[in-house]
Amino acid sequence: PRESCSSPVLEGSSEAFTEISMDITHLNQQDVAKRWRISPRTLERWRWQGEGPRFLKIGGRVVYRLEDIQKFEAEKLREARG
C-alpha cells in the first residue's frame, strides 16, 4: 500500500525553529509492479543491474518515491514517428 509521510521537521538554530511539512508518497515493489503491469521480479532484477527507477532501502525494505516513479516514466516517454 501507499504510504504518506506528513510529519513536521524542525529546522534552524536553537533560538528559532521552522516547521517544514513533508508530504511524500511511497510505493512498495508490489504497487509499482501493478502500476506498470510487470513482475515484481523485474523490479528486483533492475535494482540488481542498476536499472529502473531510484529507490530507497530502509531496514531491508524497498520503497519507491512517487516523484521518482513519475520522473522515470517521463524519461521513458517517446513520441510516435510519423
Side-chain angles (χ1 to χ4, degrees), residues 4-45:
S4 184
C5 177
S6 294
S7 57
V9 175
L10 297 178
E11 222 179 56
S13 69
S14 60
E15 298 154 8
F17 288 95
T18 305
E19 188 174 307
I20 300 172
S21 176
M22 295 183 348
D23 191 21
I24 301 170
T25 301
H26 293 91
L27 303 172
N28 65 26
Q29 178 173 295
Q30 304 301 325
D31 294 331
V32 176
K34 286 178 189 174
R35 180 183 179 110
W36 292 340
R37 296 184 182 144
I38 61 174
S39 167
R41 297 285 292 164
T42 299
L43 291 168
E44 291 174 14
R45 181 172 42 85

